[in-house]
């Protein structure tokens, strides 16, 4: 019979209920249930901050005070400390009933479930699987929710506008010489960026809008020219010019006054080097160009205006003074567009290079990114997902900290000896790094927008640093998914299928690496041969990296950009030999050998697994452990029936193999254990019955004496 709750417990429960109801009443009266979206976002941010402070700071302070209070108490005052009263309580009736319940549970517990080492292993696996499974699922939801699906459409639209001259008579495809850059800027960029037209064909009243108000120009367009100092030694090793000039590239050693006042006149002829964070970032390098330029190298800059009239004056001034001439090596055109409806920034960079033969080649790079996260416009589902992810990340950090805390004498060194603890630590550090990168991105963009709003003259705004922060955060998310997948793979090693795959890859590592080296040797050789023979005739083989990529794609069956005719520019016989080596040597022989090796090692690992599992048929599986530990009664009953069937099957096998004395001895021991459990249960039941009868008899005698 349980003791009734004390008055203190009732008073505490009543006090807690009163505080909760009062708080809800005041919250409803002063705040209400219906909020504006901005106020609701502020409330959610406050809740997140309070939760983070509660779990990261206040819990430790509370634990410190509790530990200090417990250390100052006497041992006799601590609740639950063993004393004489507790020692004599083991002979009570409640203790006998508890022993009876324990004995019955031990009797019904199957023999396979009594392996304590396996039970502890499965219990830890269950906790890790539940923890990392939820984290992996929430991480995927966060990444999917944070991605903007409009990026592809925006990139395709911008490339169509500037490449295929949809908004002007001349586009990048019609540009043949360096002088055509003026026409491209005048028709394609100046007209469509400075003063576009709406759907009625009328000019947009505000400057800086593209046609049909697709996007708004932020800042101005920057033109940057890189010049060669001397062409007499050829253009293999470029010596870029860094000297200051007067208009028409006239050399003058006298000091120039009033440069700041007449900056439109002098700046295009002065060599400038921009300083800042962008110089240390790899994203400013134009990859795949003819000479390999960086956007922040020393060069000569000119800035366009935001209206057609001033733009025409600037272009006319540059063209009349021969700003672009035969000594021009490259022209870089950079600007940024923003679409408020899709919250999309378009970072556009055009590189035009003048070849030694007088023609030009160009590269257009369009990056569609989301650099501003408006918390006020997040949906309720987005806020809920963010809160749940932060709470789960705190739970994950708490479990890792607890694992280190209970490490014992090993300390930090013992904790870091396990590679999986290092993986968990890297996951937490990656989350913190991504958060720092996103905050830096937001603050950088806001700083640029404040600069744009308060600038007295038009300035070029460089959003590439913010784009780099976003790019690194995206890479960090990819590493998060990869490391979480590896961690889940390690947890799932309890399943024989995952162990089989891991064993196969481990045993086949040496053979697979040797085969991959042989495949790469053939591919590198074929890449060199294709470039040497066909590089001057086919674009896909014009450079070695392009040639290697085309050869690999063609070998693996992706032949949409490479045709067999592209290999025959050195003659049909040589093209046939290259095609024969590529298809039969690489695509058929080596790749099929790679697949055959994996299949052979997989079959060997499966046979080894069958041999190892012959003596462990009675081992408890993880699925059986979950069913046994499940609170649902039907699961446990089905599990017991299955185990009973398994025991009968094992006994049949043992009866067929009389020579196996170990199996017979194990069966006899299980029967003896069952008999001892039954005897123990009967003994406890008789003792309880004796106590109950004695108590009833004493109660009856006391009633008789009272009468």
């Amino acid at each position: 019979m349980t003791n009734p709750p004390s008055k203190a417990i009732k008073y505490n429960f009543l006090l807690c209920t009163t505080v909760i109801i009062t708080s809800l009443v005041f919250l409803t009266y002063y705040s209400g249930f219906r909020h504006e979206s901005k106020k609701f976002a502020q409330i959610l941010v406050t809740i997140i901050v309070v939760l983070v402070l509660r779990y990261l700071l206040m819990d430790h302070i509370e634990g410190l005070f509790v530990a200090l209070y417990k250390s100052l108490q006497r041992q006799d005052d601590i609740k639950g400390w063993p004393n004489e009263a507790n020692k004599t309580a083991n002979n009570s009736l409640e203790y006998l009933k508890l022993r009876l319940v324990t004995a019955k549970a031990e009797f019904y517990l199957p023999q396979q479930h009594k392996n304590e080492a396996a039970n502890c292993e499965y219990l830890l696996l269950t906790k890790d699987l539940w923890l990392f499974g939820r984290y992996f699922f929430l991480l995927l939801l966060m990444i999917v929710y944070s991605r903007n699906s409009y990026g592809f459409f925006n990139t395709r639209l911008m490339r169509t506008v500037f490449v295929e001259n949809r908004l002007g008579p001349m586009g990048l495809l019609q540009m043949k010489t360096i002088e055509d850059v003026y026409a491209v800027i005048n028709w394609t960029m100046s007209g469509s960026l400075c003063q576009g037209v709406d759907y009625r064909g009328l000019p947009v009243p505000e400057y800086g809008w593209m046609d049909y108000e697709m996007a708004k120009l932020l800042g101005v367009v920057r033109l940057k020219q890189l010049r060669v100092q001397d062409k007499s030694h050829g253009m293999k090793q470029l010596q870029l010019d860094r000297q200051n000039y007067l208009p028409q590239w006239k050399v003058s050693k006298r000091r120039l006054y009033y440069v700041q006042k007449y900056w439109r006149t002098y700046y295009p002829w002065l060599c400038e080097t921009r300083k800042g964070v962008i110089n240390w970032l790899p994203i400013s390098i134009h990859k795949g160009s003819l000479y390999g330029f960086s956007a922040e190298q020393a060069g000569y800059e000119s800035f366009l205006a935001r209206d057609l009239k001033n733009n025409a004056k600037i272009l006319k001034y540059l063209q009349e003074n021969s700003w672009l001439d035969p000594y021009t090596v490259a022209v870089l055109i950079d600007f940024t567009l923003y679409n408020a409806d899709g919250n999309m920034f378009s970072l556009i960079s055009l590189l035009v290079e003048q070849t030694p033969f007088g023609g030009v080649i160009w590269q257009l790079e369009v990056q569609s990114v989301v650099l501003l996260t408006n918390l006020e416009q997040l949906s309720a589902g987005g806020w809920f997902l963010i809160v749940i992810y932060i709470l789960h990340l705190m739970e994950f950090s708490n479990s890792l900290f607890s694992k280190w805390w209970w490490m014992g004498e090993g300390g930090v060194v013992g904790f870091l000896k396990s590679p999986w603890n290092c993986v968990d630590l890297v996951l937490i550090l990656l989350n913190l790094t991504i958060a720092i990168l996103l905050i830096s991105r937001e603050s950088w963009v806001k700083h640029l927008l404040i600069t744009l709003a308060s600038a007295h003259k038009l300035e070029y705004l460089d959003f590439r640093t913010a784009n780099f922060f976003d790019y690194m955060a995206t890479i960090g998310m990819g590493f998060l998914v990869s490391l979480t997948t590896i961690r889940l793979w390690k947890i799932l090693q309890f399943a024989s299928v995952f162990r089989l795959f891991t064993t196969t890859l481990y045993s086949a590592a040496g053979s697979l690496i040797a085969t991959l080296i042989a495949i790469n040797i053939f591919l590198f050789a074929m890449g060199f041969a294709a470039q040497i023979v066909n590089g001057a005739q086919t674009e896909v083989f014009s450079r070695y990296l392009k040639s290697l990529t085309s050869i690999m794609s063609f070998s693996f069956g992706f032949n949409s950009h490479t045709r067999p005719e592209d290999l025959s520019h050195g003659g049909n016989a040589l093209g046939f030999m290259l095609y024969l080596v590529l298809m039969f040597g690489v695509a058929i022989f080596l790749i099929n050998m790679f697949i055959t090796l994996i299949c052979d090692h997989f079959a060997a690992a499966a046979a080894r697994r069958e041999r190892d599992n012959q003596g462990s048929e009675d081992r408890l599986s993880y699925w059986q452990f979950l069913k046994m530990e499940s609170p649902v009664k039907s699961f446990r009953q089905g599990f017991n029936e299955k185990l009973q069937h398994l025991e009968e099957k094992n006994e049949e096998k043992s009866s067929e193999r009389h020579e196996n004395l170990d199996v017979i001895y194990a069966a006899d021991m299980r029967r003896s254990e069952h008999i001892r459990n039954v005897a123990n249960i009967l003994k406890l039941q008789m003792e309880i019955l004796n106590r109950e009868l004695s108590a009833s008899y004493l109660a009856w005698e006391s009633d008789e004496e009272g009468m």
Side-chain angles (χ1 to χ4, degrees):
M1 184 175 179
T2 58
N3 295 326
S6 62
K7 292 184 178 180
I9 296 176
K10 292 181 179 179
Y11 290 151
N12 289 335
F13 178 75
L14 183 61
L15 178 62
C16 182
T17 306
T18 305
V19 170
I20 292 175
I21 294 175
T22 306
S23 301
L24 289 176
V25 169
F26 279 103
L27 180 65
T28 304
Y29 180 78
Y30 289 105
S31 180
F33 290 104
R34 303 177 66 180
H35 307 282
E36 297 178 356
S37 58
K38 184 176 182 180
K39 191 174 182 180
F40 181 70
Q42 292 176 353
I43 293 173
L44 288 178
V45 171
T46 306
I47 292 174
I48 293 174
V49 172
V50 170
L51 288 175
V52 171
L53 292 177
R54 170 72 173 84
Y55 286 104
L56 296 184
L57 183 62
M58 301 306 296
D59 270 356
H60 303 291
I61 297 176
E62 179 185 356
L64 180 63
F65 280 107
V66 170
L68 182 62
Y69 173 73
K70 291 292 185 181
S71 64
L72 297 177
Q73 272 188 307
R74 294 187 305 168
Q75 293 182 354
D76 296 338
D77 298 334
I78 300 176
K79 184 178 180 181
W81 191 267
N83 49 33
E84 296 298 328
N86 292 331
K87 292 179 181 178
T88 58
N90 292 336
N91 298 324
S92 63
L93 185 61
E94 287 77 10
Y95 177 69
L96 290 176
K97 291 181 179 180
L98 180 62
R99 286 181 59 191
L100 178 61
V101 173
T102 306
K104 286 183 177 180
E106 186 178 359
F107 175 75
Y108 289 113
L109 189 67
Q111 187 67 28
Q112 289 84 350
H113 203 71
K114 295 181 180 180
N115 188 354
E116 194 61 28
N119 290 338
C120 293
E121 178 185 357
Y122 287 151
L123 184 61
L124 293 176
L125 280 175
T126 304
K127 292 181 179 179
D128 289 343
L129 185 61
W130 175 242
L131 181 66
F132 284 95
R134 285 184 299 163
Y135 177 72
F136 184 70
F137 180 71
L138 289 173
L139 178 63
L140 292 182
L141 288 180
M142 282 288 295
I143 292 177
V144 171
Y145 182 79
S146 62
R147 297 298 93 188
N148 195 318
S149 59
Y150 302 137
F152 166 74
F153 303 101
N154 183 75
T155 303
R156 185 176 63 178
L157 176 64
M158 293 301 168
R159 294 190 67 87
T160 303
V161 168
F162 295 108
V163 174
E164 300 179 7
N165 62 307
R166 296 294 181 88
L167 300 179
M170 187 171 183
L172 296 177
L173 295 177
Q174 287 75 33
M175 186 168 51
K176 303 301 180 184
T177 63
I178 197 67
E179 289 292 327
D180 294 336
V181 175
Y182 295 116
V184 170
I185 295 174
N186 189 26
W187 291 105
T188 304
M189 296 184 180
S190 180
S192 60
L193 293 180
C194 296
Q195 190 172 12
V197 297
D198 56 15
Y199 289 96
R200 298 173 296 177
L202 300 176
V204 181
E206 186 179 356
Y207 294 126
W209 282 99
M210 287 187 67
D211 288 335
Y212 312 116
E213 299 184 5
M214 291 185 295
K216 183 70 178 291
L217 178 65
L218 299 180
V220 295
V221 179
R222 183 187 71 172
L223 309 179
K224 185 168 187 175
Q225 178 187 173
L226 302 178
R227 296 174 56 83
V228 66
Q229 188 174 5
D230 188 10
K231 297 177 66 175
S232 60
H233 301 289
M235 299 184 68
K236 275 291 184 181
Q237 295 181 354
L238 295 178
Q239 295 182 359
L240 297 180
D241 197 354
R242 299 175 183 269
Q243 187 178 352
N244 294 331
Y245 294 92
L246 290 175
Q248 297 183 359
W249 303 109
K250 295 179 180 180
V251 180
S252 177
K253 296 183 179 180
R254 63 184 178 87
R255 185 176 180 182
L256 300 176
Y257 297 97
Y258 306 107
V259 173
Q260 297 296 331
K261 184 176 181 180
Y262 301 104
W263 64 277
R264 288 288 190 188
T265 303
Y266 289 109
Y267 268 20
W269 318 99
L270 303 179
C271 184
E272 294 288 338
T273 302
R274 287 183 175 265
K275 298 179 181 180
V277 184
I278 191 66
N279 290 320
W280 302 93
L281 304 180
I283 58 173
S284 61
I285 300 175
H286 287 266
K287 300 177 181 178
S289 62
L290 189 62
Y291 304 107
F293 292 115
S294 172
E296 301 308 316
Q297 282 181 310
Y300 303 89
E301 296 181 353
S302 179
F303 301 96
L304 299 182
R306 292 173 65 90
D307 59 290
L308 291 175
K309 185 177 180 180
N310 289 327
N311 259 347
K313 292 180 180 179
I314 294 172
L315 290 175
K316 183 180 179 181
Y317 169 73
L318 295 177
Q319 193 169 8
E320 288 178 350
N321 290 275
S322 302
W323 191 64
L324 300 177
D325 61 2
Y327 286 90
T328 300
V329 179
V331 178
L332 299 103
I333 304 174
D334 300 301
F335 55 93
T336 303
L337 303 172
Y338 178 65
N339 183 283
D341 296 331
N343 191 22
M344 185 72 65
F345 286 82
S346 302
L347 280 67
I348 300 176
S349 179
L350 174 63
L351 172 64
V352 182
E353 298 177 274
Q354 185 173 208
T355 65
F357 315 104
V360 294
I361 58 176
W362 55 268
Q363 294 182 18
L364 179 64
E365 183 179 357
V366 180
Q367 299 184 30
S368 301
V369 291
V370 177
L371 302 179
L372 276 178
T373 303
N374 195 347
L375 299 179
E376 300 173 2
Q377 295 181 358
L378 284 179
S379 62
W383 274 110
F384 177 77
L385 184 60
I386 292 174
V387 172
I388 295 298
Y389 183 81
I390 292 176
L391 291 177
H392 192 273
L393 186 61
M394 289 191 294
E395 181 184 356
F396 176 66
S397 305
N398 186 24
S399 66
L400 187 64
F401 177 78
S402 301
K403 191 182 298 184
W404 167 76
W405 182 261
W406 296 106
M407 183 60 66
E409 298 179 357
V412 179
V413 178
F415 176 78
L416 296 178
K417 281 184 178 179
S418 174
W420 301 111
N421 291 337
C422 297
V423 172
D424 297 344
L425 186 61
V426 169
L427 286 175
I428 297 176
L429 294 178
L430 270 177
N431 279 281
L432 295 177
T433 305
I434 291 172
I436 293 172
L437 287 172
L438 294 178
I439 294 173
S440 303
R441 181 198 70 182
E442 296 285 331
S443 61
W444 194 276
V445 173
K446 290 180 180 179
H447 170 70
L448 289 177
L449 295 180
I450 292 173
T451 303
L452 176 64
S454 59
H456 297 289
K457 66 178 182 178
L458 298 177
E459 294 185 7
Y460 168 70
L461 300 179
D462 196 348
F463 287 85
R464 285 175 297 172
T465 304
N467 182 35
F468 176 76
F469 291 148
D470 183 78
Y471 176 70
M472 294 304 296
T474 304
I475 293 179
M477 292 178 188
F479 276 106
L480 268 181
V481 175
S482 302
L483 291 178
T484 310
T485 306
I486 294 174
R487 195 67 175 85
L488 273 178
W489 183 272
K490 192 267 176 184
I491 296 172
L492 293 173
Q493 291 299 306
F494 67 85
S496 59
V497 176
F498 290 92
R499 287 200 305 270
L500 180 60
F501 277 107
T502 305
T503 306
T504 301
L505 294 176
Y506 182 77
S507 61
S511 304
L512 294 181
I513 291 174
T515 309
L516 282 176
I517 292 174
I519 293 175
N520 288 327
I521 290 174
F522 271 88
L523 290 176
F524 290 156
M526 289 297 300
F528 275 118
Q531 183 196 11
I532 293 171
V533 176
N534 308 285
Q537 303 293 332
T538 308
E539 183 183 0
V540 294
F541 298 131
S542 60
R543 296 186 180 184
Y544 176 66
L545 290 179
K546 271 190 173 183
S547 177
L548 181 60
T549 306
S550 302
I551 288 296
M552 291 177 62
S553 302
F554 192 72
S555 301
F556 297 138
F558 304 102
N559 53 2
S560 59
H561 298 286
T562 307
R563 301 172 300 170
E565 293 82 2
D566 296 332
L567 298 169
S568 303
H569 292 285
N572 292 329
L574 184 58
F576 177 75
M577 291 178 61
L578 291 176
Y579 182 79
L580 189 67
V581 174
L582 185 63
M583 293 304 298
F584 288 94
V586 179
I588 296 178
F589 178 71
L590 289 176
I591 294 179
N592 282 312
M593 186 174 70
F594 185 83
I595 297 173
T596 304
L597 282 174
I598 294 178
C599 294
D600 290 343
H601 282 278
F602 186 84
R608 195 182 308 117
R609 183 190 64 174
E610 293 295 333
R611 285 197 309 270
D612 295 340
N613 291 338
Q614 285 182 359
S616 60
E617 293 88 354
D618 56 343
R619 177 179 170 82
L620 187 70
S621 66
Y622 182 67
W623 179 244
Q624 293 170 346
F625 171 81
L626 290 180
K627 283 187 175 181
M628 191 62 193
E629 294 293 332
S630 173
V632 183
K633 186 177 180 181
S634 59
F635 279 179
R636 293 201 303 268
Q637 289 179 351
F639 173 69
N640 292 332
E641 294 175 358
K642 187 174 182 180
L643 280 182
Q644 185 178 1
H645 176 70
L646 183 62
E647 290 179 358
E648 294 175 356
K649 187 176 180 180
N650 290 335
E651 290 178 359
E652 291 178 359
K653 288 182 179 180
S654 63
S655 62
E656 293 176 358
R657 297 177 296 176
H658 295 286
E659 67 278 3
N660 194 347
L661 298 179
D662 294 335
V663 176
I664 299 175
Y665 177 75
D668 290 340
M669 290 298 295
R670 285 197 295 271
R671 295 191 191 98
S672 301
E673 185 69 23
H674 278 294
I675 293 172
R676 282 196 295 270
N677 288 334
V678 171
N680 190 22
I681 291 172
L682 292 175
K683 181 180 177 181
L684 290 172
Q685 287 177 343
M686 293 299 296
E687 182 68 23
I688 292 173
L689 181 61
N690 186 19
R691 295 285 182 93
E692 293 284 354
L693 290 176
S694 299
S696 300
Y697 178 73
L698 292 176
W700 178 75
E701 280 191 346
S702 61
D703 292 340
E704 287 290 334
E705 292 177 358
M707 292 176 61

